[in-house]
Amino acid sequence: MIQGKVEICGVNTSKLPLLKNAEKEALFERISDGDDDARKEYINGNLRLVLSVIKRFHSSNENVDDLFQIGCIGLIKAIDNFDRTLNVKFSTYAVPMIVGEIRRYLRDANSIRVSRSLKDTAYKAINAREQLTRKNSKEPTVTEIAEEIGISKEDIVYALDAIQSPMSLYEPVYTDGGDTLYVMDQISDKKNREEIWVEHISLSEAMKKLSDRENEIISLRFFEGKTQMEVADKIGISQAQVSRLEKNALKIMRMYLTA
């Protein structure tokens, strides 16, 4: 869809500027002072980011120019809401917002009919998630979102599921400090149960090498078949933290088992 297309929305993508870190800092200082020209320059300097994001939607039948414009809206929102004091790279913050803006557009344009009440619930949850993430500098749990908007966890999960479009298991859904959370990380592992693992490896010995929290996460994920969201909700941390701890625990176990 995008391959070979050089001009998008009248923009020659082959000549898009690439800002250096020092230039970004200087521009944000000017943006903070209300300099509109600096804001426009920063937007222009990050259009490559929008271009890289819309490539993920190559399987969509949507017009490239439309996706690019919607992605630019997400980029502008990211610039206007970015807090440099959080010590997070702008791209890390911006990519989920650009992706989210495009997904909202695709959901609204989807021919599958979803009731207005479900859409309203889902969009309230998404908006609350974005606000809580900015406020607390971490991904909120479903419980926190439910408390924020006064809707049950079950209704939120159902509404979000109803508006989802089919996607790849390797589709990124969240980025936290360079650690990307993929769709496959949210899927219960029904196959790798304890009895199957024990037939092949000394699992109990490997798990002794883990911290208490890592041990709990591995047990919930692979023995009880819970999703990362369910684990996060149960032990009171973000899904991104669960993902990071899970990956580290599996790495430790793999090193022990192959030593």
Side-chain angles (χ1 to χ4, degrees):
M1 177 183 81
I2 300 171
Q3 308 296 345
K5 186 173 177 63
V6 175
E7 188 168 297
I8 301 178
C9 294
V11 177
N12 188 334
T13 59
S14 66
K15 295 183 178 180
L16 288 175
L18 185 62
L19 297 175
K20 296 180 180 178
N21 289 333
E23 292 175 316
K24 292 179 181 179
E25 288 296 323
L27 285 172
F28 250 118
E29 288 292 342
R30 291 167 55 192
I31 292 172
S32 300
D33 295 332
D35 190 328
D36 193 52
D37 289 336
R39 182 170 176 270
K40 291 177 181 177
E41 187 176 344
Y42 200 89
I43 292 171
N44 195 45
N46 281 277
L47 291 180
R48 287 180 181 271
L49 194 60
V50 177
L51 189 64
S52 68
V53 169
I54 66 174
K55 288 180 179 178
R56 302 179 183 181
F57 298 87
H58 62 85
S59 60
S60 168
N61 293 322
E62 293 297 322
N63 183 278
V64 180
D65 288 20
D66 291 342
L67 292 181
F68 188 75
Q69 290 183 60
I70 299 301
C72 287
I73 293 174
L75 171 64
I76 292 170
K77 287 184 178 180
I79 292 173
D80 291 344
N81 291 283
F82 183 57
D83 185 353
R84 289 185 296 157
T85 63
L86 297 179
N87 197 28
V88 173
K89 288 183 179 180
F90 175 74
S91 59
T92 299
Y93 176 78
V95 167
M97 293 198 71
I98 296 171
V99 170
E101 200 67 33
I102 293 174
R103 282 190 180 146
R104 277 190 287 273
Y105 168 76
L106 293 176
R107 284 195 293 263
D108 288 341
N110 199 314
S111 59
I112 299 175
R113 300 293 295 176
V114 178
S115 71
R116 172 49 58 185
S117 62
L118 276 178
K119 283 187 176 181
D120 288 344
T121 297
Y123 293 155
K124 285 180 182 178
I126 292 170
N127 184 55
R129 181 178 63 190
E130 292 177 351
Q131 291 183 355
L132 289 171
T133 298
R134 289 197 295 271
K135 178 181 177 181
N136 302 321
S137 303
K138 66 182 183 68
E139 181 84 356
T141 64
V142 174
T143 299
E144 291 171 335
I145 294 174
E147 291 174 352
E148 179 71 15
I149 62 179
I151 298 175
S152 72
K153 294 187 297 182
E154 292 76 11
D155 287 345
I156 290 174
V157 172
Y158 181 72
L160 291 173
D161 183 63
I163 65 172
Q164 291 298 320
S165 300
M167 64 181 69
S168 166
L169 288 175
Y170 294 94
E171 177 76 19
V173 294
Y174 184 75
T175 303
D176 179 22
D179 292 320
T180 302
L181 180 69
Y182 298 95
V183 172
M184 66 181 299
D185 293 326
Q186 296 180 293
I187 300 175
S188 301
D189 191 327
K190 303 295 184 182
K191 180 180 179 181
N192 293 317
R193 306 297 291 244
E194 180 178 10
E195 56 269 23
I196 299 177
W197 279 49
V198 173
E199 290 177 1
H200 303 285
I201 58 175
S202 301
L203 183 58
S204 59
E205 291 300 316
M207 291 186 67
K208 290 179 182 179
K209 304 298 179 181
L210 306 179
S211 67
D212 291 342
R213 172 152 287 183
E214 288 171 337
N215 203 303
E216 182 180 13
I217 289 172
I218 293 298
S219 296
L220 291 171
R221 279 283 284 148
F222 297 102
F223 295 172
E224 299 184 24
K226 294 186 179 296
T227 67
Q228 288 190 347
M229 180 67 81
E230 290 170 333
V231 174
D233 191 41
K234 181 177 177 63
I235 65 179
I237 61 177
S238 73
Q239 189 175 18
Q241 287 175 301
V242 170
S243 176
R244 193 178 304 124
L245 288 168
E246 178 186 317
K247 288 182 175 69
N248 185 62
L250 292 175
K251 180 180 178 182
I252 292 172
M253 294 171 67
R254 191 179 300 114
M255 290 175 62
Y256 172 79
L257 293 167
T258 56

